[in-house]
Amino acid sequence: MTLQVGIIGAGQVGERHAIAFAATQGAAIAGTADIVEERAAAVAGRYGGVAVTDWRRLLDLDLDILIVGLPHNMHVEPTEAAAAQGVHVLMEKPIATNMEDGQRIVDLCRAAGVKLTMSFVHRFRDEAQFGKQWLDQGLIGLPQVVRSVMNAPRKPELPPWVVQKEAAGGGVMMYTAIHAIDRLRWLVGSEVTSVTAQVRRWDPGSEVEDGAVALLTFANGAVANSTANAPAYWAQPSVWETEIFGTEGMLRVTREAVEVSSNRLQTRLETQSASSRLGQYYNFVRQAEEFVAAIQEDREPAITALDGLKTL
């Protein structure tokens, strides 16, 4: 059975989802919705399906999966409509702008018996996958002290709502660094129990934070310093970097490599070539394949609704 996929939003992330599901066995793009007709038509023309300007029309296509890529404060209505028709949901991060809406989304999917997964695609990158394997094997012992740095300059082509408080719910912490928070929860293998943080806003055209520094304490005793910045000016290179110091060794994960240093193992794997070997958006493809498999096998997705709530 081929699962029919509808995509709301034909911007950069919507197209990446289209690339991924078009390349996934057992899935096909049924339609793409965007308020800019030309944008929806371009994605549909490249990856299949119809183009519409009203996302509600996608639900007339006998969908199996709906991908929600709307502004953060508009996630509840399409989830409610999808759940009412028994359609599974892949939600772009964050799940919502507040916990009430996030819980509503989870409850709607649970009550309808449909699956809900979050698009935390960083987990599917090679460096993150290898790092997680080494952590689970106990190569560095118990995580103790963690350093996370994310510098992701805000691209001029991003839509205006990204810096509007009502639509986005927040700035760098909601749009970009939420990936870092999810990755920390996943790698450390524990939930955050307390947060001390300060944020800064230096772009006069923004209503939300451009930078943040947080001290996170985890239930297992680990502590993490998380720094995130999304300046509107040229601030290269982009950085995603995590270092975890454990009782028996340390792990370092970057965009290009992963390395472990302990008495049991000292090694470094270069992962930069993964994009050239597997395709530029191979992590989106892996995510699509995992969600399709979860539906076909009738099991929980690897990234759950609870991950969406806990990270928010």
Side-chain angles (χ1 to χ4, degrees):
M1 174 185 174
T2 299
L3 301 179
Q4 299 299 308
V5 181
I7 302 172
I8 305 177
Q12 66 171 18
V13 75
E15 180 161 14
R16 291 176 190 181
H17 286 301
I19 292 169
F21 279 93
T24 297
Q25 187 174 0
I29 307 299
T32 300
D34 198 286
I35 56 174
V36 180
E37 186 175 5
E38 294 78 9
R39 211 158 51 189
V43 172
R46 284 191 286 268
Y47 308 106
V50 301
V52 298
T53 54
D54 185 344
W55 63 261
R56 296 163 188 83
R57 291 183 56 197
L58 292 177
L59 293 168
D60 297 330
L61 301 176
D62 196 23
L63 295 182
D64 298 291
I65 298 172
L66 181 67
I67 299 170
V68 180
L70 288 168
H72 305 159
N73 66 335
M74 298 174 66
H75 288 180
V76 175
E77 186 183 357
T79 303
E80 186 171 24
Q85 293 195 22
V87 176
H88 306 288
V89 177
L90 190 160
M91 181 68 71
E92 260 303 323
K93 48 71 189 168
I95 191 169
T97 58
N98 59 73
M99 290 300 291
E100 183 181 1
D101 283 354
Q103 189 64 58
R104 172 75 174 148
I105 286 167
V106 171
D107 292 344
L108 284 166
C109 292
R110 183 181 294 131
V114 300
K115 302 187 189 305
L116 170 64
T117 192
M118 295 299 305
S119 186
F120 287 133
V121 290
H122 285 212
R123 292 199 197 186
F124 293 96
R125 292 178 60 89
D126 264 10
E127 61 271 14
Q129 292 278 309
F130 284 116
K132 179 63 172 172
Q133 289 175 27
W134 290 343
L135 287 166
D136 289 347
Q137 291 167 7
L139 294 184
I140 71 165
L142 298 175
Q144 298 293 300
V145 174
V146 183
R147 182 184 73 91
S148 172
V149 178
M150 175 171 277
N151 178 60
R154 200 162 66 237
K155 299 176 182 177
E157 63 267 24
L158 287 177
W161 66 260
V162 168
V163 294
Q164 295 168 358
K165 187 174 182 179
E166 183 179 356
V172 63
M173 293 307 300
M174 293 290 259
Y175 191 78
T176 305
I178 196 161
H179 281 298
I181 300 301
D182 174 71
R183 199 166 59 228
L184 288 176
R185 293 177 50 251
W186 179 58
L187 291 172
V188 172
S190 185
E191 297 296 349
V192 176
T193 57
S194 67
V195 179
T196 302
Q198 291 199 25
V199 298
R200 293 291 183 270
R201 178 172 63 88
W202 53 77
D203 178 2
S206 173
E207 300 175 0
V208 292
E209 80 279 357
D210 301 308
V213 179
L215 178 66
L216 312 176
T217 303
F218 292 83
N220 65 0
V223 291
N225 175 283
S226 180
T227 301
N229 290 290
Y233 52 79
W234 186 258
Q236 296 293 338
S238 294
V239 176
W240 307 335
E241 199 168 275
T242 304
E243 290 180 334
I244 303 178
F245 296 85
T247 53
E248 299 176 30
M250 68 165 288
L251 178 80
R252 185 166 186 260
V253 181
T254 72
R255 293 182 70 177
E256 298 84 23
V258 56
E259 55 187 306
V260 63
S261 180
S262 71
N263 291 333
R264 293 171 57 186
L265 179 68
Q266 293 190 26
T267 191
R268 174 184 170 93
L269 295 178
E270 302 290 340
T271 58
Q272 203 166 14
S273 64
S275 293
S276 57
R277 289 186 293 106
L278 304 172
Q280 186 177 5
Y281 304 119
Y282 73 91
N283 52 331
F284 280 83
V285 176
R286 287 176 175 174
Q287 176 176 259
E289 291 173 342
E290 205 291 319
F291 195 39
V292 167
I295 293 168
Q296 292 174 336
E297 297 164 13
D298 193 22
R299 60 168 172 79
E300 273 284 279
I303 301 176
T304 67
L306 185 61
D307 288 315
L309 285 179
K310 291 291 188 180
T311 303
L312 182 65

